[in-house]
Amino acid sequence: QVQLVESGGGLVQAGGSLRLSCAASGVIFSINAMDWYRQAPGKQRERVARIISGGSTNYADSVKGRFTISRDNTKNTTYLQMNSLKPEDTAVYYCNSEIVSVLRRPQSFWGQGTQVTVSS
């Protein structure tokens, strides 16, 4: 019914930048919050950024001032601009969206994840 597809991961040197995208497709009536999470090896998955339907954002302390989340409601897409990347940002990045679909109530959907590797 709903799919989230991420793109934009890769290998970058410390101090570099990457831009992740997450496009939602399928039967979508509305999208509430759109989040980016990450999970490093041996660590729990953590939320790094959130943007709600009104445009308000919040960030994990570890990425404030370096990462920027945005969304294009016409394309059902969220973006994560990551600047000044550090080796500790290395992780699999996942998007998660709260979407109202065929069940007519908000449901949480996950993307498949995209690897971000920052070399020192």
Side-chain angles (χ1 to χ4, degrees):
Q1 49 180 353
V2 173
Q3 279 191 319
L4 301 183
V5 178
E6 298 124 336
S7 61
L11 173 64
V12 65
Q13 288 189 330
S17 298
L18 283 174
R19 188 192 194 209
L20 306 182
S21 300
C22 174
S25 62
V27 179
I28 297 172
F29 293 113
S30 64
I31 300 178
N32 300 333
M34 304 183 83
D35 303 328
W36 285 97
Y37 285 75
R38 68 185 179 187
Q39 187 166 21
K43 295 189 177 181
Q44 288 191 330
R45 190 172 297 190
E46 63 169 346
R47 189 172 73 196
V48 296
R50 160 169 280 205
I51 185 166
I52 63 174
S53 57
S56 296
T57 59
N58 60 62
Y59 299 90
D61 288 343
S62 58
V63 306
K64 278 181 183 176
R66 300 188 298 121
F67 290 11
T68 302
I69 189 171
S70 61
R71 62 192 282 175
D72 184 338
N73 292 327
T74 65
K75 297 180 180 179
N76 292 332
T77 298
T78 181
Y79 306 95
L80 186 67
Q81 178 66 43
M82 306 185 293
N83 298 328
S84 303
L85 283 161
K86 305 175 181 179
E88 51 264 43
D89 294 318
T90 295
V92 178
Y93 283 71
Y94 299 90
C95 68
N96 174 272
S97 294
E98 189 178 86
I99 295 174
V100 177
S101 184
V102 294
L103 296 182
R104 301 287 186 161
R105 58 176 173 81
Q107 293 176 269
S108 178
F109 294 92
W110 289 91
Q112 81 285 358
T114 185
Q115 177 70 46
V116 171
T117 303
V118 184
S119 63
S120 58

